[in-house]
Amino acid sequence: MSTITTKDGVEIFYKDWGPRDGQPLVFHHGWPLSADDWDAQLLYFLGKGYRVVAHDRRGHGRSAQVSDGHDMDHYAADIASVVEHLDLRNAVHIGHSTGGGEVTRYVARHGQPSGRVAKAVLIGAVPPIMLKTAANPDGTPIEVFDGFRQQLAANRAGFYLDIASGPFYGFNRPGAHVSQAVAQNWWRQGMMGGAKAHYDGIKAFSETDFTQDLKAIEVPTLVMHGDDDQIVPIADSALLSVKLLKKGTLKVYEKLPHGMCTTHADIVNPDLLAFIKA
């Protein structure tokens, strides 16, 4: 199993597939999942000749279930360690949901100073900030995230099954094509990780303010979002983020859900390829 150990002693699992001389595409997964959530993208881009890399965030998947460091600064530093270990250059960093926040902080704080990043992609991503605050009055109230924490602590397995079977993939919408296999795979990935990491991760994805990170990003950045995203509402995320990016491009997907990379990979993947090749 491929792992690296970070400076603070955390073992991080990663996948590294494809030709060593291919352009690297680095995929950052959402909460509370793992690198496996990118299967539909990893195989697609592997077939196009790219080098594809995806890691399990600390406390998630096959990475160490440590007690501490479940915040965006550590998440970004961890992927920086993976990138340095593999010596990835001219890479495109692609993040979904919480992973989009991770990409934003990584590129702003670690990727650009080292010159390792060519482009970035934010898909259904949490920036600029999800939480309702005085500066972000249209955000989601803290009570919603407190509810997430309560449900996780009370019955994590049931909570995860409800998310996967309902709003994450839009399976709760009238006429939706429901895939129990997709929902069960989401549940499997979630239950592989540690409850402590997932509990702390709710604060990380909901309360982190990425405004200054977005403003600092110099590389071309594609912002992709479904307008029926029930997990990260588009009005509070993508529509705001693209205004803060220097070289941002927004692509909105009508009626697509938060988990569109899985349910609509046939639409998402070609658009990603076009942006990477542009």
Side-chain angles (χ1 to χ4, degrees), residues 266-267 274:
D266 59 326
I267 296 173

Side-chain angles (χ1 to χ4, degrees), residues 112-188:
Q112 289 178 154
S114 63
R116 293 182 180 273
V117 178
K119 296 179 180 179
V121 182
L122 309 179
I123 307 174
V126 297
I129 180 173
M130 289 192 73
L131 184 67
K132 180 179 180 179
T133 65
N136 186 42
D138 296 324
T140 303
I142 189 68
E143 290 79 13
V144 172
F145 302 114
D146 287 343
F148 289 174
R149 282 182 275 262
Q150 291 165 6
Q151 292 177 78
L152 189 155
N155 181 4
R156 185 166 68 122
F159 178 42
Y160 287 1
L161 192 59
D162 288 344
I163 295 172
S165 301
F168 196 92
Y169 295 112
F171 290 160
N172 56 340
R173 294 306 198 203
H177 175 68
V178 178
S179 170
Q180 290 299 326
V182 166
Q184 289 168 11
N185 188 44
W186 196 102
W187 184 89
R188 174 193 67 83

Side-chain angles (χ1 to χ4, degrees), residues 11-73:
E11 190 172 62
I12 301 293
F13 167 86
Y14 66 89
K15 304 177 185 185
D16 179 15
W17 301 343
R20 302 302 88 166
D21 59 349
Q23 184 179 15
L25 308 182
V26 184
F27 293 86
H28 305 241
H29 66 79
W31 176 97
L33 303 173
S34 74
D36 295 355
D37 197 45
W38 291 108
D39 283 354
Q41 284 68 49
L42 299 181
L43 294 176
Y44 176 86
F45 285 102
L46 190 63
K48 301 292 183 182
Y50 290 91
R51 179 180 183 179
V52 295
V53 175
H55 72 300
D56 290 353
R57 191 168 298 121
R58 64 169 60 202
H60 295 63
R62 290 139 295 205
S63 291
Q65 292 193 16
V66 293
S67 177
D68 302 317
H70 306 297
D71 56 74
M72 283 294 165
D73 287 347

Side-chain angles (χ1 to χ4, degrees), residues 245-267:
L245 291 160
K246 291 184 176 69
K247 298 178 182 178
T249 301
L250 176 65
K251 192 165 185 64
V252 178
Y253 295 83
E254 185 178 0
K255 297 182 180 180
L256 293 200
H258 189 61
M260 64 184 186
C261 292
T262 298
T263 58
H264 295 81
D266 59 326
I267 296 173

Side-chain angles (χ1 to χ4, degrees), residues 58-105:
R58 64 169 60 202
H60 295 63
R62 290 139 295 205
S63 291
Q65 292 193 16
V66 293
S67 177
D68 302 317
H70 306 297
D71 56 74
M72 283 294 165
D73 287 347
H74 280 88
Y75 295 167
D78 290 349
I79 190 61
S81 294
V82 173
V83 167
E84 289 164 13
H85 174 74
L86 298 176
D87 194 26
L88 303 179
R89 301 181 184 278
N90 193 37
V92 179
H93 284 260
I94 303 164
H96 175 244
S97 197
T98 298
E102 183 177 276
V103 166
T104 301
R105 181 134 304 175

